[in-house]
Amino acid sequence: MTQATYRHYPSFTRRYVRSVMKMLGLPKKPKVEAEIFREMVHDEQMVHSINGEILMLEWHHGREGRVVVPEPSLSEWLQTVQLSKVQGDAWSWPWEFSTLSFPAKQTFHGHQVDGALVAWVDSTELPSRYETFLKAHGNPHGVDMKGIGDPWLIVAIHNPLDDKPSLNPTMLRGAFKHSQITDFINREAIAYAGGRAQPLADEEGMILREVVRYVLSLGMYLSAYPEALSSGVPVWMKNKHPEGRKGIPFAQVGVDREDRELRVAMTAPHTVSPYWRQLRDERFYRGKWASHRRGSRYVLVSGYEVGAGKTVGVAPVDP
């Protein structure tokens, strides 16, 4: 395989804590980092922001997530996939929490990105997780976060437009429900989240849009070629992920060079007005689905496929 260096996702928590230490002129010592972290968790403005959400996710998954390292030529090719040509239910993401590494030469809207955080979480569990996170660090205050009953795909990156990221790191983050993922696939639409989230500047929105597009196209590739996924540190990596020696597993996405053309899978009609239903009954989690968490499966109840001279109806799903 092609030799390449990679730009990894650096922990937002560590980068943020060390930026505070740098601004205050404090030494880089573990005890100092721990104290600054505790102060952050007691800062209501911090924990009720998008930064606080990312911090909480990293705290829960710091030693459980996956580092995904796509092969260089595949990584470049993924950016050329036409999302609106996806074939049926051809998108999935295999882990609840993971980070993506990008080849160092790869850019998104002309900017290099320090990897990406990708979380696929059940929003109904987020409030209780946040409570656990706050209580574990002595913060007695609750949060007004509400579960919406749907899985969320969360994609977050370090803002490549930061002039001095070591002093003032910020995140660009998008969160999508199933219906919003379909909407993005069809129209590449990102809606303003509202609430405490700040609207993205035009340039920031374009960068995040390309990263989300990459994540979805990689999900399509994993759905079409699950055998391309393998564990272990790729031999063609010159620099290992900084967390690699601490127990976070790697997942290498390789290329099936005999039959890797996804264009065949991308030429079918695209979904219009889809309605998804969550499958919670235990009969839907037997056999090959036994290892899946109840509530993690969804079925397309209504909707139709158009384009390519065809109209395709909804097929029934057997338990």
Side-chain angles (χ1 to χ4, degrees), residues 84-88 186 266-273 303-313:
S84 61
K85 299 296 185 180
V86 61
Q87 182 179 5
N186 289 334
M266 297 297 177
T267 55
H270 61 274
T271 303
V272 175
S273 302
Y304 57 96
E305 310 286 321
V306 299
K310 299 180 181 179
T311 298
V312 183

Short mmCIF file of all heavy atoms in Angstrom, two decimals, residues 84-88 186 266-273 303-313:
data_model
loop_
_atom_site.label_atom_id
_atom_site.label_comp_id
_atom_site.label_asym_id
_atom_site.label_seq_id
_atom_site.Cartn_x
_atom_site.Cartn_y
_atom_site.Cartn_z
N SER A 84 -26.18 11.49 -3.42
CA SER A 84 -27.59 11.36 -3.79
C SER A 84 -27.88 10.11 -4.61
O SER A 84 -29.03 9.82 -4.93
CB SER A 84 -28.05 12.60 -4.57
OG SER A 84 -27.31 12.75 -5.76
N LYS A 85 -26.83 9.35 -4.96
CA LYS A 85 -27.01 8.12 -5.73
C LYS A 85 -26.93 6.88 -4.85
O LYS A 85 -26.73 5.78 -5.34
CB LYS A 85 -25.94 8.02 -6.82
CG LYS A 85 -25.97 9.15 -7.83
CD LYS A 85 -27.27 9.14 -8.64
CE LYS A 85 -27.22 10.20 -9.73
NZ LYS A 85 -28.46 10.21 -10.53
N VAL A 86 -27.08 7.02 -3.54
CA VAL A 86 -26.95 5.89 -2.63
C VAL A 86 -28.02 4.84 -2.93
O VAL A 86 -29.15 5.17 -3.27
CB VAL A 86 -27.05 6.35 -1.17
CG1 VAL A 86 -28.40 6.98 -0.89
CG2 VAL A 86 -26.84 5.19 -0.22
N GLN A 87 -27.65 3.57 -2.81
CA GLN A 87 -28.56 2.48 -3.11
C GLN A 87 -29.30 2.04 -1.86
O GLN A 87 -28.74 1.43 -0.97
CB GLN A 87 -27.80 1.29 -3.69
CG GLN A 87 -28.70 0.13 -4.06
CD GLN A 87 -27.92 -1.01 -4.66
OE1 GLN A 87 -26.70 -0.96 -4.71
NE2 GLN A 87 -28.61 -2.03 -5.13
N GLY A 88 -30.59 2.38 -1.77
CA GLY A 88 -31.44 1.92 -0.67
C GLY A 88 -30.87 2.26 0.69
O GLY A 88 -30.38 3.35 0.93
N ASN A 186 -29.44 13.57 0.19
CA ASN A 186 -30.17 14.04 -0.99
C ASN A 186 -29.80 15.47 -1.38
O ASN A 186 -29.74 15.79 -2.57
CB ASN A 186 -31.67 13.96 -0.74
CG ASN A 186 -32.18 12.53 -0.73
OD1 ASN A 186 -31.58 11.66 -1.35
ND2 ASN A 186 -33.26 12.29 -0.04
N MET A 266 -23.90 3.13 -6.36
CA MET A 266 -24.37 4.51 -6.17
C MET A 266 -25.28 4.99 -7.29
O MET A 266 -25.61 6.16 -7.35
CB MET A 266 -23.15 5.44 -6.08
CG MET A 266 -22.25 5.16 -4.91
SD MET A 266 -23.07 5.42 -3.34
CE MET A 266 -21.77 4.93 -2.22
N THR A 267 -25.67 4.11 -8.21
CA THR A 267 -26.44 4.57 -9.36
C THR A 267 -27.93 4.28 -9.23
O THR A 267 -28.70 4.54 -10.16
CB THR A 267 -25.93 3.90 -10.65
OG1 THR A 267 -25.94 2.48 -10.49
CG2 THR A 267 -24.52 4.37 -10.97
N ALA A 268 -28.36 3.71 -8.11
CA ALA A 268 -29.78 3.43 -7.92
C ALA A 268 -30.51 4.71 -7.52
O ALA A 268 -29.89 5.72 -7.19
CB ALA A 268 -29.95 2.35 -6.85
N PRO A 269 -31.85 4.70 -7.52
CA PRO A 269 -32.62 5.89 -7.15
C PRO A 269 -32.35 6.34 -5.72
O PRO A 269 -31.83 5.57 -4.91
CB PRO A 269 -34.07 5.43 -7.30
CG PRO A 269 -34.01 4.30 -8.26
CD PRO A 269 -32.71 3.61 -7.99
N HIS A 270 -32.71 7.59 -5.40
CA HIS A 270 -32.52 8.10 -4.06
C HIS A 270 -33.86 8.25 -3.35
O HIS A 270 -34.90 8.34 -3.98
CB HIS A 270 -31.76 9.43 -4.05
CG HIS A 270 -32.45 10.53 -4.79
ND1 HIS A 270 -32.30 10.71 -6.15
CD2 HIS A 270 -33.27 11.52 -4.36
CE1 HIS A 270 -33.01 11.75 -6.54
NE2 HIS A 270 -33.61 12.26 -5.47
N THR A 271 -33.82 8.26 -2.02
CA THR A 271 -35.03 8.24 -1.20
C THR A 271 -35.71 9.60 -1.18
O THR A 271 -35.06 10.63 -1.05
CB THR A 271 -34.68 7.83 0.24
OG1 THR A 271 -34.04 6.56 0.21
CG2 THR A 271 -35.93 7.72 1.10
N VAL A 272 -37.04 9.57 -1.25
CA VAL A 272 -37.84 10.79 -1.14
C VAL A 272 -38.86 10.60 -0.01
O VAL A 272 -39.50 9.56 0.08
CB VAL A 272 -38.58 11.10 -2.46
CG1 VAL A 272 -39.50 12.30 -2.30
CG2 VAL A 272 -37.58 11.35 -3.57
N SER A 273 -38.99 11.60 0.86
CA SER A 273 -39.96 11.60 1.96
C SER A 273 -39.94 10.31 2.77
O SER A 273 -40.97 9.66 2.96
CB SER A 273 -41.37 11.84 1.41
OG SER A 273 -41.44 13.06 0.71
N GLY A 303 -42.16 5.78 2.04
CA GLY A 303 -41.23 6.55 1.24
C GLY A 303 -41.05 5.85 -0.09
O GLY A 303 -41.53 4.73 -0.28
N TYR A 304 -40.40 6.47 -1.01
CA TYR A 304 -40.19 5.85 -2.30
C TYR A 304 -38.87 6.34 -2.90
O TYR A 304 -38.33 7.35 -2.49
CB TYR A 304 -41.35 6.13 -3.25
CG TYR A 304 -41.64 7.59 -3.47
CD1 TYR A 304 -41.12 8.27 -4.56
CD2 TYR A 304 -42.44 8.29 -2.58
CE1 TYR A 304 -41.38 9.62 -4.76
CE2 TYR A 304 -42.72 9.65 -2.78
CZ TYR A 304 -42.19 10.30 -3.87
OH TYR A 304 -42.44 11.62 -4.06
N GLU A 305 -38.38 5.58 -3.85
CA GLU A 305 -37.12 5.89 -4.50
C GLU A 305 -37.41 6.41 -5.91
O GLU A 305 -38.24 5.85 -6.62
CB GLU A 305 -36.25 4.64 -4.62
CG GLU A 305 -36.07 3.84 -3.34
CD GLU A 305 -35.14 4.52 -2.37
OE1 GLU A 305 -34.14 5.08 -2.85
OE2 GLU A 305 -35.42 4.51 -1.18
N VAL A 306 -36.74 7.47 -6.30
CA VAL A 306 -36.95 8.02 -7.63
C VAL A 306 -35.62 8.22 -8.33
O VAL A 306 -34.57 8.29 -7.70
CB VAL A 306 -37.70 9.37 -7.57
CG1 VAL A 306 -39.06 9.22 -6.94
CG2 VAL A 306 -36.88 10.41 -6.80
N GLY A 307 -35.67 8.36 -9.65
CA GLY A 307 -34.45 8.59 -10.43
C GLY A 307 -34.04 7.35 -11.17
O GLY A 307 -34.53 6.24 -10.95
N ALA A 308 -33.09 7.52 -12.07
CA ALA A 308 -32.53 6.42 -12.87
C ALA A 308 -33.62 5.65 -13.62
O ALA A 308 -33.49 4.47 -13.89
CB ALA A 308 -31.74 5.46 -11.97
N GLY A 309 -34.76 6.34 -13.92
CA GLY A 309 -35.82 5.71 -14.69
C GLY A 309 -36.61 4.68 -13.91
O GLY A 309 -37.32 3.86 -14.48
N LYS A 310 -36.52 4.69 -12.57
CA LYS A 310 -37.20 3.68 -11.75
C LYS A 310 -37.91 4.34 -10.57
O LYS A 310 -37.54 5.41 -10.12
CB LYS A 310 -36.22 2.65 -11.21
CG LYS A 310 -35.48 1.86 -12.27
CD LYS A 310 -34.52 0.87 -11.60
CE LYS A 310 -33.74 0.09 -12.64
NZ LYS A 310 -32.78 -0.85 -12.01
N THR A 311 -38.94 3.66 -10.07
CA THR A 311 -39.56 4.00 -8.80
C THR A 311 -39.64 2.71 -8.00
O THR A 311 -40.27 1.74 -8.45
CB THR A 311 -40.96 4.61 -8.97
OG1 THR A 311 -40.84 5.82 -9.71
CG2 THR A 311 -41.58 4.92 -7.62
N VAL A 312 -39.03 2.67 -6.84
CA VAL A 312 -38.91 1.45 -6.04
C VAL A 312 -39.69 1.61 -4.77
O VAL A 312 -39.54 2.60 -4.04
CB VAL A 312 -37.43 1.15 -5.72
CG1 VAL A 312 -37.33 -0.17 -4.97
CG2 VAL A 312 -36.63 1.09 -7.02
N GLY A 313 -40.55 0.64 -4.42
CA GLY A 313 -41.33 0.70 -3.20
C GLY A 313 -40.56 0.21 -2.00
O GLY A 313 -39.40 -0.20 -2.09
#
